[in-house]
C-alpha cells in the first residue's frame, strides 16, 4: 500500500494542533503527537484509558500515518497477528515479541447463518489485514455437519480500526496457497477446497488460481494448477518481469484405509508460475526421495534478505530445514533447543528476519518449566532463531487466551505498524 502523501500528513498534523482538549498539557498537539508515536503500537490500546484526549488520539486515523512518517521501517513494531479460532466470534490478537505485549483486535463482521470458520488465510499488506476464504458450516445448507468452502474476503484497516467486506473470490476455497506482491497491490491464491477439522481427507480439492487487484477490488481468474491441490503454500520469487509464483507441498487425491477411513496423499513436488508470459506453470519435480518424509512440514518465508530469492524454511519433527532452490532440495539448518511433546501443535512463523517457534510450556520437555506450568493461564514459549548469526534465544509470555492455543488450527500472519 502506498504511504500517505506529505500534503495529507500536513493536513493531519494541522488538525492535531486544533484538537481540544490538548494531548499533553503545555505542548502543542503536533509536538505531543510526534512524542507519542514512538510508543509501540502494541501499547496503544492500554493508553486509551489514560484520559479522553489520549483515547481520541490513539483512536484517530492519523496515528498509523504519523508512525510511518516519523519512524524508520526498521523501528516499526514487527507484530504477529493470531486468530485462535473462528474470527467471526473470537477476537484476533496482536503479539509484540519485542515488548512481550498483547493487543486485541475487534472480531470480523458476524454472519448469523455461518459458524465454525477455519482453514482461512490471513495476510497483511501495508496497514491492512486481509482474511480470505476458509471452510465453514452454513445453517442453510444440507447436511449441517458438512463443511462448505467460503469465498468471502474481509479487510481490517488499522488506521480506522474497522473491518470492511471486499469482493468475494470467484471460487470458494479453504486451505489454499496465498502470497502478496505489495509493490503491485496484488494477492494471488491457488488451489484449496473445503476441509473438515476432524475428517480432513473427506474434503474437496480444486486447481483454480485467482489474482486480487486491491485498487480495483476485483478478482481475475488465471491459468489453473496442473492438478487438484489443497493444503499447499505459496510465495513470490524475484522482482519486476522476472517475478514468479511458487507453490509447494499440499495434498491431492485421497486413499482409504480398510476401505473406510480416507487418508490424504501428499505431494513432494514444486510448481512455478512465470508471471511474465501470461502465468504458465512449470514443474520442478520432487523435493525429497521416497521414504525420506511423508509430507511437507510447516513452511515460513523470510523475504527481507539481500538476494532477490527469499529464504524458505521448514519445521519438521523438531528440526528446521532450509530450501535450496538451485537443487530443489532441503538441508538441515538447526534443531530446536527445547523439544516439544506434541510436535504438531507448534506455531512456526517468520518475523523481523527471524524464525519464531511458538509452543506451550506444558508441552515442552524441560524440568525448568515445571514451576510456570502451575499457572492458571497458559504460558507460551517462543524459541527464536536468527538464520544469519545461527543463534537461538527464547522468551516466555502469558497467553491472553483462556484456553491453550491450538496451533493445528490457529492462523497467523505478520505486520509492521
Amino acid at each position: 500500500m502506498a504511504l500517505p502523501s506529505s500534503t495529507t500528513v500536513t493536513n493531519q498534523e494541522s488538525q492535531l494542533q486544533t484538537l481540544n482538549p490538548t494531548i499533553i498539557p503545555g505542548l502543542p498537539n503536533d509536538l505531543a503527537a510526534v512524542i507519542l508515536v514512538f510508543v509501540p503500537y502494541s501499547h496503544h490500546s492500554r493508553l486509551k484509558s489514560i484520559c479522553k484526549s489520549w483515547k481520541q488520539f490513539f483512536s484517530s486515523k492519523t496515528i498509523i500515518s504519523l508512525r510511518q512518517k516519523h519512524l524508520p521501517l526498521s523501528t516499526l513494531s514487527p507484530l504477529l497477528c493470531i486468530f485462535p479460532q473462528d474470527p467471526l466470534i473470537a477476537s484476533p490478537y496482536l503479539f509484540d515479541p519485542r515488548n512481550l505485549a498483547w493487543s486485541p483486535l475487534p472480531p470480523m463482521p458476524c454472519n448469523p447463518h455461518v459458524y465454525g470458520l477455519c482453514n482461512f488465510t490471513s495476510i497483511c499488506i501495508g496497514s491492512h489485514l486481509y482474511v480470505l476464504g476458509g471452510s465453514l458450516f452454513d445453517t442453510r445448507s444440507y447436511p449441517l455437519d458438512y463443511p462448505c468452502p467460503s469465498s468471502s474476503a474481509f479487510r481490517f484497516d488499522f488506521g480506522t480500526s474497522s473491518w470492511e467486506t471486499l469482493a468475494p473470490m470467484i471460487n470458494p476455497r479453504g486451505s489454499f496457497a496465498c502470497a502478496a506482491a505489495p509493490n503491485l497491490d496484488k494477492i494471488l491464491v491457488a488451489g484449496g477446497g473445503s476441509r473438515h477439522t476432524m475428517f480432513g481427507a473427506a474434503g474437496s480439492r480444486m486447481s483454480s488460481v485467482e489474482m486480487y487487484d486491491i485498487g480495483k477490488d476485483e478478482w481475475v481468474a488465471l491459468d489453473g494448477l496442473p492438478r487438484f491441490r489443497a493444503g499447499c503454500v505459496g510465495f513470490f520469487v524475484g522482482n519486476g518481469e522476472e517475478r514468479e509464483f511458487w507453490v509447494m507441498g499440499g495434498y491431492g487425491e485421497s486413499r482409504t484405509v480398510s476401505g473406510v477411513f480416507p487418508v490424504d496423499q501428499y505431494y513432494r513436488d514444486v510448481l512455478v508460475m512465470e508471471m511474465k508470459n501470461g502465468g504458465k506453470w512449470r514443474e520442478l519435480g520432487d523435493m525429497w526421495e521416497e521414504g525420506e518424509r511423508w509430507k511437507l512440514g510447516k513452511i515460513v518465508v523470510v523475504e527481507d534478505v539481500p538476494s532477490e530469492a527469499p529464504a524458505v524454511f521448514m519445521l519438521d519433527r523438531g528440526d528446521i530445514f532450509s530450501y535450496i532452490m538451485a537443487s530443489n532440495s532441503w538441508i538441515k539448518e538447526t534443531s530446536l533447543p527445547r523439544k516439544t511433546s506434541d510436535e504438531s501443535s507448534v506455531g512456526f512463523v517468520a518475523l523481523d528476519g527471524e524464525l519464531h517457534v511458538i509452543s506451550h510450556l506444558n508441552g515442552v520437555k524441560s524440568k525448568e518449566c515445571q514451576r510456570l506450568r502451575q499457572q492458571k493461564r497458559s504460558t507460551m514459549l517462543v524459541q527464536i532463531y536468527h538464520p544469519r548469526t545461527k543463534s537461538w534465544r527464547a522468551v516466555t509470555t502469558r497467553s491472553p487466551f483462556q484456553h491453550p492455543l491450538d496451533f493445528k488450527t490457529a492462523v497467523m500472519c505478520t505486520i509492521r505498524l
Side-chain angles (χ1 to χ4, degrees):
M1 301 295 290
L3 295 179
S5 64
S6 59
T7 303
T8 303
V9 176
T10 302
N11 293 337
Q12 293 170 343
E13 292 181 341
S14 64
Q15 294 174 3
L16 289 171
Q17 293 177 349
T18 59
L19 182 66
N20 190 23
T22 57
I23 300 176
I24 299 179
L27 291 178
N29 280 346
D30 55 348
L31 178 58
V34 172
I35 295 174
L36 292 181
V37 295
F38 284 86
V39 177
Y41 183 86
S42 55
H43 295 309
H44 289 187
S45 59
R46 303 179 186 179
L47 297 178
K48 291 180 182 180
S49 61
I50 298 296
C51 60
K52 181 179 179 180
S53 61
W54 282 33
K55 180 178 181 180
Q56 185 177 356
F57 170 70
F58 285 111
S59 301
S60 66
K61 302 178 181 180
T62 62
I63 185 67
I64 297 298
S65 58
L66 288 175
R67 286 179 62 82
Q68 292 175 338
K69 176 187 178 183
H70 295 287
L71 300 182
L73 181 61
S74 59
T75 60
L76 290 176
S77 301
L79 304 174
L80 174 62
C81 183
I82 302 179
F83 294 83
Q85 51 183 312
D86 186 349
L88 299 173
I89 59 176
S91 299
Y93 271 81
L94 290 177
F95 173 57
D96 185 349
R98 289 182 179 176
N99 302 283
L100 298 181
W102 293 86
S103 177
L105 295 178
M108 290 195 324
C110 181
N111 185 336
H113 299 291
V114 301
Y115 63 96
L117 180 64
C118 62
N119 302 320
F120 58 91
T121 295
S122 62
I123 193 168
C124 292
I125 300 180
S127 59
H128 293 86
L129 168 67
Y130 294 82
V131 175
L132 308 174
S135 300
L136 51 80
F137 298 92
D138 195 321
T139 58
R140 299 162 296 183
S141 64
Y142 181 85
L144 293 177
D145 59 348
Y146 191 82
C148 303
S150 172
S151 60
S152 299
F154 299 91
R155 177 170 60 195
F156 181 77
D157 187 344
F158 284 92
T160 60
S161 296
S162 61
W163 288 93
E164 62 178 317
T165 303
L166 304 177
M169 291 184 286
I170 301 174
N171 297 291
R173 70 186 77 214
S175 301
F176 52 93
C178 179
N183 54 339
L184 296 178
D185 283 350
K186 299 290 193 301
I187 299 176
L188 234 66
V189 297
S194 68
R195 189 165 177 83
H196 197 288
T197 55
M198 184 176 296
F199 306 106
S204 62
R205 285 99 166 126
M206 62 192 312
S207 60
S208 69
V209 179
E210 302 174 32
M211 182 171 62
Y212 177 67
D213 189 309
I214 296 177
K216 298 180 180 179
D217 186 28
E218 65 179 13
W219 294 87
V220 178
L222 300 180
D223 189 23
L225 295 167
R227 51 189 175 274
F228 293 157
R229 185 182 297 250
C232 46
V233 297
F235 54 90
F236 278 103
V237 175
N239 295 309
E241 295 183 355
E242 302 301 324
R243 190 187 307 272
E244 297 176 334
F245 179 56
W246 288 47
V247 174
M248 59 173 53
Y251 49 87
E253 300 297 331
S254 63
R255 58 183 177 86
T256 58
V257 178
S258 301
V260 178
F261 301 102
V263 178
D264 290 319
Q265 290 185 324
Y266 289 89
Y267 291 124
R268 305 197 305 267
D269 62 342
V270 179
L271 302 175
V272 179
M273 172 186 279
E274 299 177 357
M275 305 299 294
K276 65 179 180 179
N277 61 359
K280 299 300 181 181
W281 290 94
R282 73 174 190 271
E283 301 185 28
L284 298 185
D286 294 343
M287 295 177 284
W288 62 84
E289 299 294 335
E290 182 73 30
E292 184 178 350
R293 61 174 53 89
W294 68 290
K295 70 173 183 176
L296 198 67
K298 295 186 176 182
I299 302 296
V300 297
V301 180
V302 180
E303 297 182 346
D304 51 348
V305 293
S307 61
E308 291 186 356
V312 183
F313 297 92
M314 173 177 61
L315 177 64
D316 183 26
R317 291 171 292 190
D319 297 323
I320 294 180
F321 296 81
S322 61
Y323 179 65
I324 309 301
M325 292 187 177
S327 59
N328 188 30
S329 61
W330 296 90
I331 62 172
K332 184 177 179 180
E333 175 80 15
T334 183
S335 298
L336 296 181
R338 301 183 185 181
K339 303 296 183 180
T340 59
S341 57
D342 185 3
E343 296 176 351
S344 61
S345 185
V346 175
F348 189 43
V349 65
L351 187 64
D352 199 24
E354 297 179 314
L355 309 182
H356 290 60
V357 182
I358 311 173
S359 59
H360 295 282
L361 279 179
N362 57 5
V364 175
K365 300 176 182 178
S366 175
K367 295 181 179 180
E368 61 187 80
C369 301
Q370 293 179 358
R371 179 181 59 84
L372 293 174
R373 292 177 186 174
Q374 305 301 321
Q375 300 175 356
K376 292 184 178 180
R377 281 201 306 170
S378 174
T379 302
M380 298 171 61
L381 171 67
V382 185
Q383 302 182 74
I384 306 172
Y385 176 72
H386 198 300
R388 297 182 185 177
T389 61
K390 310 293 183 181
S391 60
W392 282 94
R393 59 188 175 91
V395 297
T396 58
T397 178
R398 294 288 298 277
S399 169
F401 311 110
Q402 296 299 323
H403 303 283
L405 188 63
D406 186 1
F407 290 103
K408 297 177 184 178
T409 58
V411 177
M412 300 185 292
C413 65
T414 61
I415 188 173
R416 280 187 178 272
L417 294 173

